[in-house]
Each structure stands twice: as structure tokens, then as C-alpha cells.
Amino acid sequence: MSRPAIGSADNNFGLLRLAAASLVLVSHAFLLTGRDDPALGAARETLGDLAVTGFFAISGFLVARSWCRDPRMGAYFARRALRILPALWVVILVGAYVIGPLFS
């Protein structure tokens, strides 16, 4: 079996993100039932805490991989903007023109 190329999307980051999202759902399910999220270990971290830490770690790896693929500053920031700004504009517009009028 051959190994995936460095820039390949054939990795387990999707599976790890799914696991972290599942932990967030489980953590919120405890709150919806009125029970406390069980704390784990000596640090007393909850499942939600672990999930958020996992999301930050995965995001760091993916952003670093993006830089390693093409370490030119302008291209890097353009890719980051094209990934983040469209969703940001949708959230701003829905909040301002849909949710805002419904609740004010």
C-alpha cells in the first residue's frame, strides 16, 4: 500500500474533527438534561473542554499545513481570507437582517 502525498487530504483529521464534534454534542446533552458534564482526570476537564482543545490542535495543524504548502505571505493570507470571510459575511448578514429583526 502506498503512502499518501504530503499535500493529500487522505488523513484522519476529518475523523478527529468528527470525534471532537461528537464530544461537544455529548457535553451539551448533559446540560440539556440538567446534569453536570462529568469531569475527567486530575485537571477536572469536561468532555467539552477536551473537544475544544482538540479542535484548536487540529486547526493549528491544518493552518500550519496550509503555510507549508505555499509559504508566500500574500498567497497564504488570501487563502485564509477566502476560507473565513464568506462564512463571516453570511453570519453577519443573517444576524443583522434575519435574527436581529425577529428578536428586537
Side-chain angles (χ1 to χ4, degrees):
M1 178 156 45
S2 65
R3 298 179 71 187
I6 296 274
S8 169
D10 187 20
N11 56 44
N12 287 325
F13 281 123
L15 181 63
L16 291 173
R17 291 169 71 186
L18 178 63
S22 298
L23 282 177
V24 169
L25 289 175
V26 169
S27 179
H28 287 135
F30 279 102
L31 295 174
L32 289 173
T33 61
R35 298 172 44 194
D36 288 334
D37 196 355
L40 306 170
R44 307 293 297 160
E45 289 194 47
T46 65
L47 294 174
D49 295 334
L50 291 174
V52 169
T53 301
F55 275 124
F56 278 125
I58 293 166
S59 294
F61 284 119
L62 294 175
V63 169
R65 183 178 70 175
S66 175
W67 172 260
C68 289
R69 281 184 180 167
D70 186 9
R72 294 177 301 137
M73 191 72 69
Y76 173 77
F77 282 118
R79 282 192 312 275
R80 299 305 311 149
L82 286 173
R83 177 148 179 108
I84 294 168
L85 293 178
L88 175 64
W89 280 110
V90 168
V91 168
I92 290 171
L93 293 173
V94 168
Y97 294 110
V98 177
I99 296 173
L102 285 174
F103 291 98
S104 57

